[in-house]
Amino acid sequence: MRLTLLGSGGDSQTPMPTCECRVCDPAREEGLPHARYGNATFVHEADAVVDAPESVWAMLNREDVRDVAYIFLSHHHMDHVGGLRVVQAIGRPQYPLDDWDNEDPATVVMSETTYDRIADSLDIEAQYDDRGYAEFEFLADGETMALGDGVEVTGLGAPLDPGGPADAAMGYLFEESDDSALVSPDETTFLDLEKVPEDLDLWVKECGMFRETPDGDPILSDDLWADERDHQTTFDQTLEQVRTVDPDRTVLTEIEEIYRRRPDEYARLATEHADLSVEFGRDGMDIEL
Ligand SMILES: [Zn+2]
Ligand SMILES: [Zn+2]
């Protein structure tokens, strides 16, 4: 199986407009690997994109992706669905246009909870259904769907908060012959790790929050840190989760600008955890299983 990390950023892209910090300046001047679009992963065998941040239009062009059959959405937050209108471009009919329906629309897959949460905010009925831009399918927690060419995907759900719906944040487990890759781009804080197969080859996973910048300055005030920790994953928790699941390889994504770390600093941090086979993602990173 082959995957490309289309974008390795998260809620924030790097560079952030107007910011002149130690990560935004080199990202603006040199581009990759300092620059990071939002969080999205491409699974080549299935022509599948996981998550559609605002920047997905630019990422698909940058990586020269010519066919998208599926878009899987992990959860309803805007940094994961804000670019969903990219489906407008996929399978467009030839001129002259008789109507706006796409001839070969992408299939957008998500949990019912995510659909309920974006139906109004994205105006799915008028903006997508009525125009025939995409088809929509639900995937439930634990349900498996065949994607063709011997690729299957299983939804691994997690609540966003304790007691919330179990399918609010979906990870997607792609399997093809002996290869398995779990793409759970964000919101793994309350993921029941028992659901993850023991012989996982690859985990594409959120990096988690850092308490301090590389210089030791707190990134969040004590109060905000305490608030966020109630429902957000920290980098230390990510390491613990990776230690528990023990996949062959882990690529971290959702790397936020506010962490203020540069690619060489992430590379050094990865070597400190070499026993866990953890790598920090970068935009355009090719991952071959
Ligand atoms: Zn996110
Ligand atoms: Zn910045």
Side-chain angles (χ1 to χ4, degrees):
M1 212 183 314
R2 184 179 159 218
L3 295 89
T4 300
L5 207 58
L6 298 173
S8 59
D11 188 53
S12 51
Q13 298 178 40
T14 307
M16 294 275 271
T18 74
C19 183
E20 296 176 34
C21 79
R22 70 190 295 278
V23 295
C24 288
D25 273 347
R28 201 169 288 116
E29 281 156 25
E30 297 165 43
L32 300 180
H34 296 274
R36 299 181 192 277
Y37 281 142
N39 188 337
T41 304
F42 188 66
V43 182
H44 289 259
E45 281 77 3
D47 292 325
V49 177
V50 180
D51 280 346
E54 297 91 334
S55 48
V56 72
W57 296 70
M59 296 182 214
L60 290 169
N61 281 327
R62 191 197 58 207
E63 297 304 321
D64 199 24
V65 173
R66 300 295 178 97
D67 200 6
V68 174
Y70 298 94
I71 297 183
F72 290 86
L73 299 179
S74 65
H75 66 299
H76 71 288
H77 289 161
M78 206 43 74
D79 57 315
H80 297 260
V81 303
L84 187 59
R85 278 179 60 84
V86 75
V87 293
Q88 180 184 333
I90 298 165
R92 273 203 309 174
Q94 296 302 315
Y95 290 178
L97 303 176
D98 280 331
D99 58 34
W100 297 109
D101 286 14
N102 282 0
E103 274 171 3
D104 187 15
T107 301
V108 181
V109 182
M110 68 192 100
S111 70
E112 282 198 58
T113 294
T114 296
Y115 188 88
D116 288 346
R117 289 175 176 181
I118 63 174
D120 282 345
S121 61
L122 295 190
D123 197 9
I124 295 274
E125 206 173 307
Q127 299 292 322
Y128 297 81
D129 272 346
D130 292 353
R131 291 183 165 231
Y133 281 161
E135 285 168 357
F136 291 87
E137 275 194 42
F138 295 140
L139 192 67
D141 177 26
E143 191 184 351
T144 298
M145 170 178 172
L147 303 182
D149 282 342
V151 184
E152 289 190 334
V153 66
T154 302
L156 299 188
L160 287 174
D161 292 289
D167 63 349
M170 295 288 276
Y172 294 102
L173 174 68
F174 292 88
E175 292 176 290
E176 186 210 27
S177 55
D178 286 343
D179 294 341
S180 57
L182 172 60
V183 182
S184 53
D186 196 8
E187 305 295 349
T188 51
T189 313
F190 304 108
L191 173 65
D192 175 2
L193 300 180
E194 297 279 321
K195 292 180 178 180
V196 182
E198 272 174 22
D199 53 352
L200 188 66
D201 295 319
L202 172 73
W203 196 5
V204 177
K205 192 207 175 294
E206 68 174 315
C207 168
M209 294 188 305
F210 290 91
R211 182 74 187 96
E212 296 174 339
T213 67
D215 295 333
D217 297 323
I219 292 170
L220 306 179
S221 70
D222 290 343
D223 284 350
L224 186 53
W225 175 256
D227 273 1
E228 292 291 317
R229 279 203 58 178
D230 282 346
H231 55 98
Q232 292 289 351
T233 302
T234 63
F235 177 62
D236 288 339
Q237 187 190 357
T238 281
L239 293 177
E240 271 319 300
Q241 290 180 325
V242 172
R243 203 181 301 281
T244 304
V245 171
D246 193 26
D248 289 349
R249 187 174 174 189
T250 300
V251 173
L252 300 180
T253 187
E254 190 91 355
I255 298 172
E256 300 285 1
E257 182 269 352
I258 56 167
Y259 303 156
R260 295 285 160 88
R261 281 164 169 78
R262 291 176 171 170
D264 59 326
E265 292 162 339
Y266 284 121
R268 225 172 298 135
L269 195 53
T271 59
E272 286 172 30
H273 301 286
D275 56 316
L276 295 176
S277 303
V278 164
E279 299 158 76
F280 289 85
R282 58 186 153 67
D283 283 31
M285 183 178 191
D286 246 315
I287 308 163
E288 197 97 40
L289 298 186

